[in-house]
Amino acid sequence: MGAPGPQSLVPETPDVSGAFPRLTSPQLDALRAVGKVVPVAEGQVLARAGESFASFFVVLEGRLMVYEGDPVGADALFEIHGPGRFVGDIGLLEGEPSFATIAALESGSVLEVPIGELERIVTGDPLLGDVILRAYLIRRSMAIGFGAGLRIVGSRFSPDTRRLLDFTARNRVPHRLLDVEQDPAADAILRRMGLDVADVPVVIVSGSRVLRNPSIVDVAQALGLRKTRPAATSDALVVGAGPAGLAAAVYAASDGLSVVLSDAVATGGQAARSSRIENYLGFPSGISGAELAERSTLQAAKFGATVFAPSTAQSLTADEGALVVRFSDGTSLRPQAVVVASGMEYNRLAVANLDRFEYTSVYYAATIAEARECGADPVVVVGGGNSAGQAAVFLAGTASRVHLVVRGADLGASMSRYLVVQVEDHPRISVHRRTTVVAANGGAHLESVVVEEAASGVREEIPTVHLFVFIGATPATSWLGPDIVRDDRGYVLTGRGATPAGASRGFLETSLPGVFAVGDVRSGSVKRISAAIGEGASVVRMVHEHLETAGYRR
């Protein structure tokens, strides 16, 4: 979008599915009760890119412009908001720095509301709060789709670049890759900043702050994602922030327990990687995994849980009866109880040559970020379960062709019926039944995969640069010590199965007193989001009982 031009010719940004709603008079009155009216002059800056929001702003008179980069540049991104509209996105509620600058397009007035008051409205007012939160979630999704936010300069075939892309995608951070392999703008930026290829990947935050080949923790701190260091002791430490872990944190914190919620990468777990969850109770039109994760994270924070991510748990030991969890950054926590909700790690394809492309061309999630990276290129999706079906349908919205490779003969054997219908009816999805991937070809990057039909042995080479793998997962339990009993597949045993005959254990308690397991990591669990949430909620009662019987209850 070019320069704004005369003010009279600049239209308001049209509302898109509730992204830019106009507040009603009663809603404005509710905000006036906790805010103040402030006059603004033409050109006045209310918030700058790279800085955290100090307040929430609603336009009363005049118009505000939200822009990224140079407002008169040829590639500037704009939003124009008139009376009744508000600015910002979900990062405002999570303490992240703004990716855009907000300025008055003309003189007028705004309603300024402190962030603390806004948080209380969003988490306490079911009508006004949901209007604001829903708009913020949609805006964040749109920003990710547009490639707004931070810039990652590097090669898409570099493992370090892919590591950063995966982290930003998992944390739902708007970003754009400037590929040094094919984007002239990438080379121009490196020259302007006095950098060369040896410095990449480079992360540019808010147009000015440059991070050279940063660690995940470096990026998290620059983005305000890792703001709080947890207290060394707490009532409960929840390791893993998927649906089960989030539920445990929300219910434990709402009961008044001091709770630390940790995750190696981001909140949401595997569920956050789902483009659309259509069989979750209470959401007849479906809900994206990202939205479910954002709403749950805000809910945990509302009740006082401390979110500690990214943070990789490395060990769990019992030191003279006291539980100790050590993390990769050197942090050691001594909670009174531990809830293991570390979930699963994706299985990888055992295919010749594929390890060469593991960190450059193989994906284990299909979200807006991956779809934007793939563009219209043909993609191959491997797997016959719901995750594979959801990925195929979602990617078919942008890819020229989606090849779904399924080992079995019947999609309905492990895929929900509604997904089977969507897959089979989609004109851009080709289903390869009773077929496996047997080889991967390419030079610097993946160029094609070879599939083989089981009955005939006939092989077919499918050109693709992008391979999506959804072939199940194994429990993420390698960080647990020998005191935690597991079954022969590595899942954590709980209840009677975790202890010798006659010993007493709660249904979700492990072989180590005070340590509980919920969700996919637990042996015998039902691999459904609703079941994981149910276990996360149920475990809180057992944590209470442990704290009381062990004399820890404060």
Side-chain angles (χ1 to χ4, degrees):
M1 194 179 292
Q7 293 178 6
S8 61
L9 299 181
V10 181
E12 282 191 38
T13 302
D15 191 24
V16 179
S17 302
F20 307 108
R22 199 176 304 278
L23 298 180
T24 64
S25 294
Q27 290 169 339
L28 287 172
D29 290 341
L31 290 169
R32 282 192 178 95
V34 294
K36 62 180 179 180
V37 178
V38 178
V40 294
E42 180 181 343
Q44 181 178 339
V45 174
L46 301 181
R48 295 185 184 278
E51 300 176 356
S52 296
F53 279 88
S55 302
F56 168 76
F57 297 104
V58 183
V59 182
L60 297 179
E61 297 177 293
R63 289 177 297 170
L64 296 183
M65 176 172 65
V66 181
Y67 61 90
E68 181 183 4
D70 182 355
V72 295
D75 60 347
L77 295 173
F78 282 101
E79 293 172 14
I80 305 296
H81 298 276
R85 295 244 187 122
F86 53 88
V87 295
D89 85 337
I90 193 67
L92 184 151
L93 292 169
E94 298 178 345
E96 298 175 9
S98 174
F99 291 110
T101 296
I102 301 171
L105 187 60
E106 57 198 39
S107 297
S109 62
V110 298
L111 179 60
E112 182 178 359
V113 178
I115 298 299
E117 295 293 344
L118 176 66
E119 291 173 346
R120 281 188 281 275
I121 289 171
V122 167
T123 57
D125 187 320
L127 297 179
L128 175 56
D130 197 63
V131 169
I132 296 171
L133 180 57
R134 182 64 177 156
Y136 277 179
L137 291 169
I138 296 173
R139 291 182 195 180
R140 176 54 62 95
S141 179
M142 292 171 62
I144 292 173
F146 291 149
L150 61 82
R151 300 290 182 264
I152 299 175
V153 184
S155 169
R156 61 176 171 153
F157 304 121
S158 160
D160 283 332
T161 301
R162 279 292 303 275
R163 170 176 56 84
L164 295 171
L165 289 171
D166 183 63
F167 172 75
T168 50
R170 290 279 301 278
N171 280 276
R172 305 169 291 281
V173 175
H175 64 279
R176 179 187 301 174
L177 171 65
L178 299 177
D179 193 348
V180 295
E181 306 285 348
Q182 59 184 23
D183 193 338
D187 189 52
I189 288 175
L190 292 177
R191 288 199 308 270
R192 187 169 71 245
M193 293 185 168
L195 305 174
D196 56 34
V197 177
D199 295 306
V200 300
V202 170
V203 175
I204 305 172
V205 183
S206 301
S208 57
R209 185 175 180 183
V210 178
L211 306 176
R212 293 178 174 87
N213 195 12
S215 68
I216 294 303
V217 172
D218 291 336
V219 177
Q221 291 175 338
L223 295 174
L225 299 177
R226 202 183 193 201
K227 303 179 290 296
T228 306
R229 194 170 188 84
T233 60
S234 62
D235 291 325
L237 167 65
V238 182
V239 180
L246 281 165
V250 167
Y251 285 98
S254 67
D255 275 358
L257 299 182
S258 59
V259 179
V260 175
L261 174 65
S262 72
D263 196 276
V265 182
T267 58
Q270 292 185 43
R273 295 184 171 202
S274 298
S275 56
R276 202 76 185 161
I277 303 169
E278 296 192 53
N279 58 349
Y280 185 53
L281 183 66
F283 293 88
S285 60
I287 182 173
S288 73
E291 181 175 345
L292 182 63
E294 294 283 13
R295 286 179 176 271
S296 301
T297 303
L298 287 173
Q299 199 171 16
K302 166 186 175 179
F303 292 116
T306 298
V307 178
F308 183 46
S311 54
T312 303
Q314 286 193 323
S315 66
L316 167 61
T317 57
D319 183 7
E320 297 182 354
L323 300 174
V324 180
V325 179
R326 294 180 173 86
F327 293 84
S328 58
D329 66 350
T331 299
S332 291
L333 302 182
R334 291 175 172 266
Q336 309 299 350
V338 174
V339 177
V340 178
S342 46
M344 311 286 284
E345 295 174 341
Y346 291 105
N347 292 337
R348 298 182 177 182
L349 278 174
V351 172
N353 295 326
L354 188 60
D355 58 338
R356 295 172 49 210
F357 313 114
E358 181 66 38
Y359 299 104
T360 59
S361 301
V362 183
Y363 306 82
Y364 297 91
T367 66
I368 295 173
E370 286 80 18
R372 192 181 72 242
E373 188 174 338
C374 296
D377 294 344
V379 302
V380 174
V381 177
V382 182
N386 282 348
S387 294
Q390 289 168 345
V393 172
F394 177 68
L395 293 168
T398 52
S400 57
R401 174 62 54 182
V402 174
H403 297 272
L404 179 60
V405 179
V406 183
R407 182 185 296 271
D410 179 17
L411 281 180
S414 54
M415 189 182 296
S416 296
R417 184 59 191 167
Y418 79 92
L419 271 176
V420 174
V421 173
Q422 291 180 20
V423 167
E424 292 181 335
D425 288 350
H426 203 292
R428 287 197 293 276
I429 298 178
S430 299
V431 181
H432 303 258
R433 292 177 173 82
R434 301 186 65 188
T435 301
T436 57
V437 177
V438 295
N441 303 318
H445 57 83
L446 180 66
E447 296 174 8
S448 67
V449 296
V450 178
V451 299
E452 180 179 280
E453 205 274 327
S456 64
V458 173
R459 293 191 171 190
E460 177 186 358
E461 185 173 8
I462 303 175
T464 186
V465 182
H466 314 286
L467 177 64
F468 290 79
V469 179
F470 300 94
I471 56 171
T474 54
T477 57
S478 61
W479 63 281
L480 296 173
D483 292 333
I484 306 295
V485 177
R486 281 152 275 187
D487 65 18
D488 55 1
R489 295 183 298 165
Y491 290 93
V492 176
L493 289 168
T494 59
R496 293 180 180 177
T499 58
S504 176
R505 282 288 187 275
F507 171 59
L508 299 174
E509 192 168 15
T510 71
S511 54
L512 186 61
V515 178
F516 307 83
V518 295
D520 290 353
V521 75
R522 190 180 68 81
S523 179
S525 66
V526 178
K527 304 301 186 283
R528 293 280 187 178
I529 290 177
S530 55
I533 292 173
E535 289 189 5
S538 299
V539 77
V540 176
R541 178 180 59 82
M542 300 175 199
V543 170
H544 276 294
E545 292 173 353
H546 169 72
L547 295 177
E548 290 169 355
T549 56
Y552 293 131
R553 188 62 183 264
R554 289 196 281 267

